[in-house]
């Protein structure tokens, strides 16, 4: 292939950023409710429908698309996103908007999964994890940078303008792929689900272990703004600024996670659970001290960003012969774990108070540590970069 791998990598990274921006409307739920004349609860379902769809479709959609030529796949999916978001700008019918939001989410796992597979294929030898990390950074930046932009546009100018920005970034990435991306043939000749790998004890235990990570992290992440308001008394613009800084730390964590996995994968995978769980315990113990709380939450931001790499790496290791499926399962675990964490956290906050999120988060990370220690150190599953 004559194209410069780094140019292709950054095109895919920008595309991953763009395709992730529909997730950023979480910050304008009240504007959505006003625009569609519905309740906050229904608006929340409209927003979360994207994540739930990804969690389900990530299990099979990437494999279905794995045999097709890569550029055609990318162009087709980004075209669906552009058309869907264009229609969403103008419709005032919540059912129509929901249909097109869910439709675009159906194809999201195929795009991200194949982008991860392609970037690993085009990477120079020894730089595969760095290339994968760049795509994960695109996903992370899309959420972190997209959230304040979408929220700002939505609160100042309204829902339509916020959706216009999302449509524009999707259209830009579509144009970049059409103009600069070369033809790359798919690898799979026919659709074959690797059932032997999916039924293996290694896959089942590894997957059970890593789904505990996004559940535990999500319980804390999604309710830490509420904790900062009611316990630490951090409000309004100070809260927004701090959460943006948290996002920057998370981006750094995604980069750091890729570097650590490439150098010390076993140690990183095991120690991560203990460190993250320890941070949650310390947050519980020092909840009434503002400066330690802020430092600990920023530390969690770094760890939260690292989690993207760890989940993707384990799935790629236990299903080495089907990278599209492994990446699809990574997306399902990530989004499904987030959804479960939000639900569990809401129940805990209502029933036991906001401080309970730290204990619950630590317990899920402890379960992840026990299972992954057994899988990695006792069962000795083969990891991609282990010697």
């Amino acid at each position: 292939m004559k194209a410069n791998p780094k140019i292709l990598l950054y095109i895919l990274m920008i595309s991953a950023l763009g395709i992730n921006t529909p997730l950023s409307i979480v910050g304008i739920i009240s504007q959505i409710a006003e625009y569609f004349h519905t309740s906050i609860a229904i608006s929340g379902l409209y927003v979360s429908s994207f994540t739930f769809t990804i969690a389900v479709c990530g299990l099979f959609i990437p494999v279905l698309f794995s045999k097709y030529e890569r550029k055609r796949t990318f162009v087709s999916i980004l075209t669906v996103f552009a058309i869907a978001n264009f229609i969403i700008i103008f419709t005032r019918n919540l059912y129509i908007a929901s249909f097109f939001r869910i439709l675009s989410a159906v194809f999201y796992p195929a795009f991200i999964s194949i982008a991860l597979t392609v970037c690993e294929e085009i990477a120079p030898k020894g730089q595969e994890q760095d290339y994968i990390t760049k795509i994960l950074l695109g996903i992370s930046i899309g959420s972190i940078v997209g959230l304040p932009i979408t929220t700002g546009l939505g609160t100042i100018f309204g829902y339509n303008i916020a959706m216009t920005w999302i449509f524009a970034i999707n259209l830009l990435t579509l144009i970049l792929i059409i103009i600069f991306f070369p033809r790359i043939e798919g690898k799979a000749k026919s659709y074959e689900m690797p059932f032997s790998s999916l039924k293996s004890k290694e896959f089942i235990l590894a997957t059970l272990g890593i789904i505990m990570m996004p559940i535990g992290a999500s319980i804390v992440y999604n309710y830490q703004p509420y904790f900062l308001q009611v316990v630490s008394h951090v409000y309004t613009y100070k809260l927004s600024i701090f959460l943006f800084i948290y996002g920057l730390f998370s981006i750094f964590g995604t980069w750091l996670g890729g570097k650590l996995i490439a150098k010390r994968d076993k140690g990183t995978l095991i120690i991560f659970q203990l460190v993250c769980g320890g941070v949650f315990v310390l947050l519980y113990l020092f909840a009434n001290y503002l400066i330690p709380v802020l430092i600990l939450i920023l530390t969690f931001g770094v760890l939260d960003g690292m989690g993207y790499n760890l989940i993707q790496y384990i799935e790629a290791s236990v299903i080495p012969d089907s990278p599209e499926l492994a990446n699809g399962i990574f997306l399902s675990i990530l989004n499904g774990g987030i959804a479960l964490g939000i639900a569990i956290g809401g129940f805990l906050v209502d029933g036991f108070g906001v401080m309970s999120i730290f204990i619950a988060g630590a317990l899920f990370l402890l379960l992840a540590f026990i299972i992954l220690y057994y899988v990695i150190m006792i069962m000795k599953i083969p990891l991609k970069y282990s010697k």
Side-chain angles (χ1 to χ4, degrees), residues 181-195:
F181 210 85
R183 286 179 55 84
I184 302 176
E185 293 301 324
K187 297 299 182 183
K189 299 301 181 183
S190 60
Y191 170 67
E192 294 181 0
M193 185 71 79
F195 289 108

Side-chain angles (χ1 to χ4, degrees), residues 26 36 51 54 56 140 147 152 163 172 198-199 260 274 279 284 304 321 332:
V26 67
F36 288 111
T51 304
I54 294 171
V56 174
S140 181
L147 179 60
M163 293 309 302
L172 172 63
L198 298 181
K199 292 188 294 184
L260 290 176
L274 294 178
V279 168
Y284 182 86
D304 190 27
D321 298 327
S332 291

Side-chain angles (χ1 to χ4, degrees), residues 340-352:
L340 286 171
I342 292 171
I344 294 170
F347 170 77
L348 291 170
V349 171
D350 284 342
F352 303 97

Side-chain angles (χ1 to χ4, degrees), residues 33-47:
E34 181 181 353
Y35 183 81
F36 288 111
H37 303 291
T38 188
S39 67
I40 293 293
I42 296 299
S43 298
L45 289 175
Y46 171 69
V47 171

Side-chain angles (χ1 to χ4, degrees), residues 259-275:
K259 294 294 185 182
L260 290 176
I261 284 175
K263 291 182 178 180
R264 296 287 300 273
D265 52 359
K266 288 183 180 179
T268 301
L269 291 168
I270 293 172
I271 293 173
F272 171 87
Q273 324 301 328
L274 294 178
V275 173

Side-chain angles (χ1 to χ4, degrees), residues 5 96 111 113 149 181 210 216 226 282 296 325 335 363 373 378:
I96 294 175
F111 186 96
S113 173
I149 293 175
F181 210 85
I210 58 175
Y226 181 67
L282 290 174
L296 287 168
L325 177 62
N335 288 278
L363 288 175
Y373 183 87
I378 307 300

Side-chain angles (χ1 to χ4, degrees), residues 6 37 88 172 185 202 256 354:
K6 284 200 171 181
H37 303 291
I88 289 172
L172 172 63
E185 293 301 324
E202 291 82 357
L256 179 63
V354 70

